[in-house]
Amino acid sequence: MGVLKVADLRTEAELKYADLPLETTGGVVVSLRNLLRLEDSARRSAQVLIEALDKKPAAEASQGAVFDQLANQEATLRDLFLLVADNPGEMRREVEQWDLAMRLLVMERWMEGTQAGEASSSAN
């Protein structure tokens, strides 16, 4: 059995738990980091933000409450992107231009693209 090298494991972890590269309208590539690759405090903060997105307004909520919820989701998504971005300044300039639909689409792609096992180093 060969020697297990930390450098090889690091490369494997980077491939398995990859970031999602996103090219901004300004042509700058910002990486939205995988939750597993964040520091503990950032990962906990991200989890709080993600849980906040899952909160549904009560069935009897007024139309105003529903609109407030949508505004909160928009702000929460912005905060989440800034937290996971490797370049928060560039990400802020980009995300401020997006409506809620765009933010939700990027969130979906980020969640799909950073799930464990999405990237593979083998040809199988």
Side-chain angles (χ1 to χ4, degrees), residues 18-30:
D19 299 341
L20 177 69
L22 175 74
E23 184 177 332
T24 67
T25 50
V28 176
V29 176
V30 175

Side-chain angles (χ1 to χ4, degrees), residues 38-50:
L38 297 175
E39 295 179 12
D40 288 344
S41 61
R43 188 172 40 254
R44 281 192 284 275
S45 296
Q47 186 61 40
V48 168
L49 292 169
I50 290 168

Side-chain angles (χ1 to χ4, degrees), residues 6-7 13 35 37 40 42 44 50 60 62 66-68 73 86 90 93 114-115 118 121 123:
V6 171
L35 288 175
R37 306 293 295 183
D40 288 344
R44 281 192 284 275
I50 290 168
E60 67 276 357
S62 69
V66 172
F67 285 125
D68 288 344
Q73 285 183 335
D86 69 342
E90 183 65 29
R93 283 186 286 281
T114 61
Q115 288 178 0
E118 288 295 312
S121 59

